[in-house]
Amino acid sequence: MTPDEGGIPRASPAETGRVIVTGASSGIGQAIARMFWAEEALVANLDVADGSETAGSCGSGFRSFMCDVADPEQVASAFEAIDAWFPGPPTVLVNVAAVFPNVAFLEMSPDVFDRVMAVNVRGPFLCSQEAAQRMREARSGRIVNITSTESVLAFAEASAYGASKAALTHLTKGMAVELASDGITVNAVAPGAVETPPLLAWLEENPRAGQHDLERTPLGRLGTPDDIAAAVRFLAKDATWMTGQTIYVDGGFLITGLPVLPGGSE
């Protein structure tokens, strides 16, 4: 492996992929972009946030395209710009971009609810349509949606977010059924609590919630963005006979009933 100017080792030789990641300017999306870039893929980032931090760590082979994924015109324009850069259709699309407002149900405005659904559900819908139309030409492609354990569990002040991730889980299944005949697989990765700046800031304000998460997590730690990237890699690279599925990457949180307490049942 040889380092690029960004300092991250790049695999060589490797088949060059053409990967689009939404929300790759930070957090989970950034880790996914770095992972694909390290394997010599061309990586395009669609994000409303500045992607310079990711670009600085990746170097060549990574580009950001400013885009609100909830806006059909901006998505179409971004994909046209990517067409001019990629030497062929995208091989992988990873839908990461999402918004997560902590708002109590009775205090949530229709505008906030609509924005969550627009970014978290319509965004993957629009980007997947654009990507799949291009993947169809090659009769091959991988789409991975990032959902959440909140698609199956309810959390206070996250009703809109949970509903959006549940909708995206079902959208994943519907897309998988319809796109299979075009050689395109569609799967999802559902993270649990992952060490991203917004979550860490929230846990600092709500230490009891953080302690609860760790007590209920058999593996005894929060996840990292790289943990999620590894699952995405599996679905994009190795899972050739798998579609419409969701992999829960949560340290065992969902399977645990009573909290896992040291020293037995006391």
Side-chain angles (χ1 to χ4, degrees), residues 224-240:
T224 68
D226 287 339
D227 290 327
I228 310 308
V232 170
R233 187 193 185 283
F234 166 72
L235 293 174
K237 297 276 189 175
D238 301 324
T240 57

Side-chain angles (χ1 to χ4, degrees), residues 103-109 159:
V103 183
F105 173 73
L106 291 178
E107 298 172 4
M108 186 179 302
S109 70
S159 56

Side-chain angles (χ1 to χ4, degrees), residues 22-199:
T22 71
S25 297
S26 62
I28 290 172
Q30 184 178 76
I32 292 168
R34 287 172 170 170
M35 179 269 296
F36 279 115
W37 177 87
E39 298 189 351
E40 293 197 330
L42 295 176
V43 182
N45 170 32
L46 300 187
D47 207 328
V48 293
D50 178 27
S52 59
E53 180 180 329
T54 309
S57 63
C58 286
S60 60
F62 174 89
R63 292 187 186 179
S64 285
F65 299 82
M66 295 295 291
C67 175
D68 179 349
V69 297
D71 186 310
E73 293 184 0
Q74 290 190 37
V75 170
S77 178
F79 270 82
E80 289 174 2
I82 293 170
D83 287 341
W85 180 42
F86 280 179
T91 55
V92 179
L93 167 68
V94 188
N95 288 304
V96 186
V99 293
F100 187 161
N102 290 306
V103 183
F105 173 73
L106 291 178
E107 298 172 4
M108 186 179 302
S109 70
D111 286 345
V112 169
F113 183 86
D114 288 347
R115 181 59 180 168
V116 172
M117 291 297 172
V119 175
N120 298 6
V121 185
R122 186 168 65 189
F125 163 76
L126 293 172
C127 292
S128 295
Q129 276 193 333
E130 292 285 350
Q133 289 168 1
R134 292 158 171 81
M135 291 173 175
R136 178 186 289 177
E137 301 173 11
R139 306 291 301 171
S140 177
R142 302 283 182 264
I143 297 175
V144 182
N145 294 321
I146 303 301
T147 60
S148 172
T149 53
E150 294 191 41
S151 65
V152 293
L153 287 177
F155 289 78
E157 299 186 344
S159 56
Y161 180 80
S164 73
K165 292 303 185 178
L168 183 55
T169 298
H170 197 83
L171 180 62
T172 298
K173 297 176 183 179
M175 288 165 52
V177 170
E178 293 198 38
L179 297 177
S181 60
D182 294 315
I184 302 168
T185 66
V186 188
N187 293 288
V189 173
V194 174
E195 292 179 342
T196 59
L199 178 69

